[in-house]
Amino acid sequence: LTLAVVLPRRNLTYPWAWPRVGPAVSLAAAAVNSRRDLLPGFTVRWVFGDSEDRHGVCSEMAAPLVAVDLWLAHRPAAFLGPGCVYSAAPVARFTGHWRLPLVTAGAEAHGFDDKSEEFGLTTRAGPSHRKLGELGVRLHRRFNWTRRALLVYWDEPAGDRPYYFAAEGLYVQLPTLRNLTVMDVVFRDGGNFSFIIQEIKARGR
């Protein structure tokens, strides 16, 4: 029984990097294999594919290519990873097409909540930004904030855009409160912070 692992090989800035997760995968496989009552007639093994590009960051191109290679070569029963949003999305679409489960500690973006179609077999073991949005809704109800919400976040259109996806969870969930206006202000490195402060002053009240 083969488990295909698609994770960053070296970059320890990711909590799901292989040097962090690999020992747990090895221990889990060994524990399952030591108990013949769990999967009688099967031996669990894993194969690894690197989701990093040549710069050492999560790649939406490398991850699906390596996932296809692993599927063709090993016909795995399930996938573990990727964790990064832009890497996980195309791999999850492939695994859904192959009718294989995908388990990830990442993929926090709101879009992965849709289990009706492409992400129906994706299971997230970590936090999701939908839950952050639901927390925002609860806070607004608790403190009777009923008129408007202004989301201010940092974003760069490169990498995995964690702040953008975190804000998305709030942006999607807060409008479930009736008559609440939700706006956003994006800033970047070297941005005009005086302008942002003026925007907060004008739009956040």
Side-chain angles (χ1 to χ4, degrees):
L1 194 67
T2 302
L3 176 67
V5 182
V6 182
L7 294 170
R9 184 183 296 275
R10 297 180 188 86
N11 192 336
L12 292 176
T13 61
Y14 301 113
W16 44 77
W18 180 242
R20 299 180 190 277
V21 176
V25 173
S26 298
L27 286 171
V32 171
N33 290 334
S34 69
R35 290 188 51 185
R36 291 299 169 188
D37 59 315
L38 287 179
L39 293 170
F42 292 95
T43 299
V44 176
R45 71 183 191 99
W46 50 266
V47 291
F48 177 79
D50 189 1
S51 64
E52 290 180 7
D53 64 12
R54 61 190 178 90
H55 303 292
V57 296
C58 281
S59 169
E60 67 269 24
M61 184 176 74
L65 290 177
V66 78
V68 170
D69 286 345
L70 292 174
W71 182 72
L72 289 172
H74 303 282
R75 288 295 195 262
F79 276 75
L80 176 64
C84 299
V85 170
Y86 287 122
S87 301
V91 174
R93 292 183 183 106
F94 278 127
T95 58
H97 175 68
W98 299 328
R99 307 303 300 163
L100 296 176
L102 182 149
V103 179
T104 177
E108 310 99 324
H110 198 276
F112 289 94
D113 290 332
D114 184 5
K115 302 301 180 186
S116 62
E117 293 184 14
E118 55 191 358
F119 302 125
L121 294 175
T122 300
T123 299
R124 294 178 293 181
S128 76
H129 293 319
R130 178 187 182 90
K131 292 298 183 183
L132 176 63
E134 290 172 356
L135 172 64
V137 169
R138 283 178 169 266
L139 287 172
H140 275 70
R141 285 189 176 134
R142 171 68 177 82
F143 294 105
N144 198 30
W145 298 332
T146 56
R147 290 175 51 204
R148 67 181 65 187
L150 180 64
L151 306 176
V152 182
Y153 61 95
W154 182 81
D155 185 39
E156 287 290 344
D160 217 36
R161 304 179 74 189
Y163 309 112
Y164 170 83
F165 287 113
E168 179 194 34
L170 291 161
Y171 195 85
V172 172
Q173 290 297 312
L174 286 175
T176 61
L177 295 165
R178 289 188 175 182
N179 301 320
L180 181 73
T181 301
V182 181
M183 297 171 286
D184 66 300
V185 176
V186 182
F187 65 94
R188 296 180 172 88
D189 256 353
N192 186 339
F193 293 100
S194 296
F195 169 77
I196 293 167
I197 292 169
Q198 291 303 316
E199 284 287 285
I200 293 171
K201 182 179 177 182
R203 300 167 63 186
R205 300 185 181 191

